[in-house]
Amino acid sequence: MVTGDAAYIKKINRSLIIREIVKEGMISRADLSKVTDLTRATISAQVADLLEDGLIIETQLEHYTVGRKPIMLSLNGLAGYALGIDLDYGHISFTISNLLGHPVASSTIEMDTTDYLVIQTILSDQIQTYLSEYNDTRYGIVGIVIAIHGLVGKDETIHYVPRLHWSDVDLKGDLEKVIHVPIHIENNANLSAFAERVFVHHETDNLLCATLYSGIGLGMMMNNEFFRGHDGYAGEAGHMIVVPGGKPCNCGNKGCWEKYSSESSVFEYLSETRKIKPLRYEQIQKWLNEGDEEVCEIVEQFLYYLAIGLNNMINMYNPDVLVLDSELLRMYPNSLEKIREQLQSSISHYRQLSLSTIGRESSILGACGLAIKNFLDVPILNLSRTEESINNESAVNQF
């Protein structure tokens, strides 16, 4: 039983109740009391406050054949919005979601600059536009999370972004001087892992998500928290050496994992050898469909080195679920089975290896999810991706 300051206990109980309501989607007061082990009086008082605050709504079940129709409680997704931002080289993507994590609007701004002050101004202007447009609910935009493709410290200072050539910049602090809504900065791979946990893999507390696009990013959720390391820079698995003395990497080492098993390594080789720039996924898919021996061999090598790195990750972190985010893996027949065949060590333990069903939108959806989590002040979220929300994401991809 939790003891201590009454206000603190009330806050803990509120968080517990909100978490269960979100987790179940719809739940009655009686069932809330059972799953939280809180008294009915406590449940009634907390629910009354949440209803008054507009955070939850009541729904009476229409098709309940026995006894009195229960009144069900659910999160009010229309009470506010979350703003997720993916800041990448060449473009910035924005997604507005409701409090259930369902996207309601998205846009992308293309840019041909890496200048920090210019990009900061673009962000500030666009955020303020969204704040003005989405103030039609009780809470408006409740939080903003920005995904960064680089090193982010525990204090949310951006230590290094390779493709933007940024070092030690305080984007959070600079934006908060003019934006009066909570802003958080997080590594994009961490947010991809968070999205996988929040929207798909509700049954695990320990998850790794490897994104394989421009490099290799590793997002790590351990006991439903980000595993950050001492300064916050943990997860740079792409710079683990898998071929001593191998290909030179921009980090200064030779033989880094991402030089052999990121999609960019495959694209760079094929683009150079086949004199096709820019090389697109459709062309690689065409070669694979035609049974091009060289392309198939290159992808097999991609899988071989991917398995080497994954074996190391599994042995180091013993994850429950390991999610891979890669278009090449989705294109290549039986890619997961081929990887599993190379993960047969008797000391390697994991429960599930899967391909991401969210894909490239994972970091920005994770950003929205983290903003919602922070606003609701809950330890973790279990949100669902409805058919409508997935269609919205598809529309974003086409955009």
Side-chain angles (χ1 to χ4, degrees):
M1 183 177 183
V2 179
T3 60
D5 179 78
Y8 175 73
I9 294 173
K10 183 177 180 180
K11 178 182 177 182
I12 294 297
N13 289 340
R14 179 186 174 99
S15 174
L16 182 60
I17 289 169
I18 292 175
R19 176 182 176 177
E20 290 301 324
I21 291 173
V22 175
K23 177 182 177 181
E24 298 299 327
M26 297 182 72
I27 190 170
S28 68
R29 288 170 173 81
D31 287 339
L32 261 180
S33 180
K34 291 177 184 177
V35 297
T36 61
D37 202 27
L38 296 172
T39 66
R40 294 201 174 198
T42 299
I43 295 292
S44 294
Q46 288 276 1
V47 165
D49 288 344
L50 291 170
L51 287 169
E52 184 177 350
D53 292 342
L55 287 177
I56 64 174
I57 55 176
E58 293 180 314
T59 304
Q60 191 168 52
L61 290 184
E62 294 298 326
H63 303 289
Y64 196 77
T65 58
V66 179
R68 185 177 172 184
K69 296 178 182 178
I71 295 176
M72 308 299 286
L73 306 171
S74 57
L75 184 68
N76 181 10
L78 302 180
Y81 302 100
L83 174 56
I85 301 173
D86 189 357
L87 172 57
D88 201 357
Y89 177 79
H91 65 272
I92 310 174
S93 299
F94 302 82
T95 290
I96 292 278
S97 80
N98 63 21
L99 293 189
L100 294 173
H102 302 161
V104 297
S106 295
S107 65
T108 298
I109 295 177
E110 304 293 336
M111 57 184 185
D112 57 2
T113 181
T114 61
D115 185 88
Y116 175 72
L117 292 177
V118 172
I119 293 176
Q120 177 194 325
T121 300
I122 293 172
L123 282 168
S124 178
D125 290 346
Q126 189 62 26
I127 289 171
Q128 293 192 80
T129 297
Y130 276 123
L131 290 173
S132 298
E133 290 180 357
Y134 290 90
N135 63 356
D136 58 338
T137 61
R138 179 161 183 169
Y139 295 99
I141 292 179
V142 301
I144 301 163
V145 174
I146 304 176
I148 300 296
H149 295 245
L151 299 179
V152 178
K154 287 183 177 179
D155 61 356
E156 300 184 61
T157 297
I158 299 172
H159 176 63
Y160 182 54
V161 183
R163 300 190 74 189
L164 296 179
H165 308 293
W166 290 0
S167 296
D168 299 320
V169 295
D170 184 14
L171 182 62
K172 172 184 170 72
D174 291 335
L175 288 175
E176 286 182 338
K177 292 174 183 177
V178 292
I179 305 295
H180 305 297
V181 170
I183 295 175
H184 293 282
I185 309 293
E186 187 54 77
N187 171 265
N188 69 300
N190 278 347
L191 290 173
S192 291
F194 187 74
E196 295 292 343
R197 167 59 185 85
V198 166
F199 290 98
V200 183
H201 298 280
H202 297 161
E203 74 287 353
T204 183
D205 297 332
N206 298 286
L207 178 147
L208 299 185
C209 178
T211 58
L212 308 177
Y213 296 110
S214 58
I216 296 180
L218 187 71
M220 298 182 283
M221 297 288 296
M222 297 295 172
N223 296 319
N224 284 329
E225 298 286 346
F226 292 126
F227 182 84
R228 302 180 185 277
H230 178 67
D231 293 313
Y233 308 146
E236 290 300 311
H239 297 288
M240 167 181 59
I241 295 174
V242 295
V243 181
K247 299 176 184 178
C249 180
N250 292 334
C251 76
N253 283 325
K254 293 182 178 180
C256 290
W257 189 23
E258 67 179 39
K259 299 304 294 183
Y260 295 84
S261 205
S262 65
E263 290 191 354
S264 60
S265 66
V266 174
F267 272 73
E268 286 170 9
Y269 177 82
L270 289 175
S271 179
E272 181 178 343
T273 58
R274 307 223 170 176
K275 310 300 182 186
I276 299 177
K277 295 183 180 180
L279 179 60
R280 303 189 183 280
Y281 287 105
E282 292 81 5
Q283 180 60 64
I284 294 180
Q285 182 70 76
K286 181 174 181 292
W287 288 330
L288 291 174
N289 292 342
E290 293 170 349
D292 188 300
E293 289 187 9
E294 182 189 27
V295 175
C296 290
E297 182 179 340
I298 289 168
V299 177
E300 288 285 345
Q301 187 180 60
F302 166 78
L303 297 179
Y304 170 75
Y305 284 110
L306 179 57
I308 289 176
L310 292 178
N311 183 74
N312 293 339
M313 295 299 99
I314 291 167
N315 285 332
M316 280 192 286
Y317 297 108
N318 183 212
D320 182 30
V321 174
L322 183 56
V323 181
L324 306 179
D325 187 8
S326 163
E327 289 299 323
L328 281 183
L329 293 182
R330 281 185 275 270
M331 289 163 50
Y332 196 62
N334 304 315
S335 58
L336 280 190
E337 287 74 9
K338 291 174 181 292
I339 293 171
R340 289 192 188 100
E341 289 172 0
Q342 301 179 62
L343 299 176
Q344 298 299 323
S345 168
S346 60
I347 62 171
S348 294
H349 295 283
Y350 66 97
R351 179 176 62 82
Q352 180 180 346
L353 176 69
S354 64
L355 282 174
S356 172
T357 58
I358 304 177
R360 286 183 177 270
E361 302 306 310
S362 61
S363 64
I364 203 164
L365 287 181
C368 291
L370 186 57
I372 296 167
K373 172 187 175 294
N374 292 337
F375 171 67
L376 295 178
D377 194 19
V378 293
I380 193 62
L381 290 172
N382 285 352
L383 300 175
S384 63
R385 297 173 72 227
T386 64
E387 184 175 346
E388 178 183 359
S389 68
I390 293 172
N391 289 338
N392 286 343
E393 292 160 28
S394 298
V396 173
N397 291 335
Q398 292 171 3
F399 180 88

